[in-house]
Each structure stands twice: as C-alpha cells, then as structure tokens.
Amino acid sequence: MSSEPGLRERKKQRTRQTISDIASGLFLRRGFDNVTVAEVAEAAGVSAKTVFNYFPRKEDLFLDRFPEAAELITRAIRERHEGEEPLTALRRLQRELLRDNHPFGAFTDGYRFFWQVVIDSPSLQARARERAAEFEELLGSLLAEAAGAPSDDPWSRVSAAMIVSAYRTVYVTTVDKVFAGEPIQKVVEEHAALLDRVFDCLERALAPS
C-alpha cells in the first residue's frame, strides 16, 4: 500500500503552506506584532477559523516548521541503523541537514530577516522557548523508548535536556555570527566543527554504562 498522501491530504498541505507563506511575507514586511490573524486570513482568501484550524496560535504561523523538525528527530531515532545509538543518529541527521542546506541547517544572509522578526517579538521568543521545551519532552520519550525504559525515565529526560540545551547554544552562537557580518562560508564551517565537538562531548557524557 502506498504511503503517499491522498488528494485530500495534499490539498490540506497546500492550504497550510499557502497560509504560512502569506503570513510570513506579511510578518517580514511589517513585523509580527503589527499583523493580525484576520489580515492573514484575508490575504490568503480564507476565514480566520480556517487559519486557526491549521495553526492553533498566531506564533505558529511564523514558526511553522516545528512539526517537521519533530518528525525528523523521531524518524532519525526510530529508523536508526541497527546497533546505532540514538545520539549517533542525531549527529548524522545534523550533518545531512547541513550538507543539504536544509532550512534547519542553513545560515544564509537571507535568514537574518527571519531571525530579526523573532528578535523583535517577545511573543515569538516565548513561543520558541515553549517549542524547545516540547522538543526536550519529545526527545526524552524517544530516548526512553530506544532504551526500553518507561516514558518518564529520569536519565532519558536528563539526556534530552543536555542535548537540546547544547544544540540551542550552538545554534544561537552561529546566528550571532551571522548578525555580526562574518562570512557565511566561515560561519557554516565553524558551526559544523562546533556541532561535532559538542556531539563528541555528549557521546562521552551519555555513553551507555
């Protein structure tokens, strides 16, 4: 049986992407706090109710890739190579994202505008922190699952907190370099090197006993 989404699901995906793209354009031009959901709905040709059906919170219109990130992390751990540790699978995922210049691993000058919108909006910053906490919870449950432990296993939760905190610090450090005007190629190379160093440290700290 095909795993490809059906016509109805593809239509829903297109509608969701259209709403998000239009909203992002408005936020980039006018600032997140200066645009209402009603204005997004009007520009997208849908009702405000439809917008909220796809995006429960206004902030999710701009931070719309978090579900994709959760899916990538989940798949990386659950579909990892036989005998491979979850942390190794996550390292491989990060390398692939950088290699493919995926939005989660891209640091072009254009992304500066995206980050500036977030920096200018306290509500977006708060939502980003909430999402980081959600990632931590998800990762904790995935690590516990991989270890055959209960979903609330304390060590899995500690491990997830260490991984998410370390990655967030690396990411913010790299974004700061972009805003400082450092050459993008140099920024990307230093980002990859720092990630490798961090994963080396995490692997030693979280090595199975």
Side-chain angles (χ1 to χ4, degrees):
M1 184 178 295
S2 174
S3 61
E4 291 295 318
L7 178 61
R8 183 178 179 182
E9 184 60 30
R10 292 198 301 272
K11 183 178 179 180
K12 289 173 63 178
Q13 291 173 354
R14 286 196 298 270
T15 300
R16 183 184 190 279
Q17 191 60 54
T18 297
I19 294 172
S20 175
D21 289 345
I22 289 173
S24 294
L26 290 171
F27 297 148
L28 287 167
R29 288 195 300 273
R30 295 167 49 192
F32 180 80
D33 296 328
N34 298 322
V35 178
T36 67
V37 172
E39 289 174 314
V40 171
E42 182 179 1
V46 298
S47 67
K49 181 180 178 181
T50 297
V51 173
F52 282 120
N53 284 340
Y54 288 97
F55 303 94
R57 294 172 56 171
K58 178 187 172 185
E59 291 79 11
D60 295 336
L61 282 162
F62 197 63
L63 303 174
D64 64 312
R65 286 186 173 270
F66 278 90
E68 180 185 354
E71 181 181 346
L72 286 171
I73 292 170
T74 300
R75 191 163 61 239
I77 292 178
R78 288 183 173 168
E79 299 178 8
R80 66 191 186 281
H81 301 155
E82 185 176 354
E84 184 178 50
E85 292 295 328
L87 192 58
T88 305
L90 291 175
R91 183 201 286 257
R92 180 160 46 82
L93 171 63
Q94 291 304 318
R95 285 175 171 171
E96 291 171 356
L97 294 176
L98 283 171
R99 180 198 66 201
D100 298 340
N101 202 34
H102 187 281
F104 295 141
F107 294 97
T108 61
D109 284 322
Y111 278 87
R112 193 179 318 188
F113 300 107
F114 172 88
W115 295 317
Q116 190 63 58
V117 173
V118 177
I119 290 170
D120 291 340
S121 171
S123 63
L124 277 176
Q125 293 179 48
R127 185 58 174 149
R129 287 192 293 270
E130 289 177 355
R131 285 299 199 178
E134 291 169 11
F135 275 145
E136 187 177 310
E137 183 177 356
L138 170 64
L139 184 54
S141 66
L142 289 169
L143 294 176
E145 177 185 289
S151 59
D152 60 350
D153 173 55
W155 181 243
S156 296
R157 293 170 64 183
V158 169
S159 299
M162 292 173 65
I163 294 168
V164 171
S165 178
Y167 179 78
R168 182 169 51 190
T169 300
V170 172
Y171 191 87
V172 170
T173 298
T174 300
V175 171
D176 287 342
K177 292 179 180 180
V178 173
F179 273 100
E182 296 188 20
I184 293 300
Q185 185 59 39
K186 178 173 178 286
V187 167
V188 172
E189 290 173 357
E190 290 179 350
H191 177 79
L194 185 55
L195 266 181
D196 269 335
R197 185 176 178 184
V198 164
F199 272 104
D200 286 343
C201 292
L202 287 170
E203 285 178 352
R204 290 194 295 271
L206 304 177
S209 56

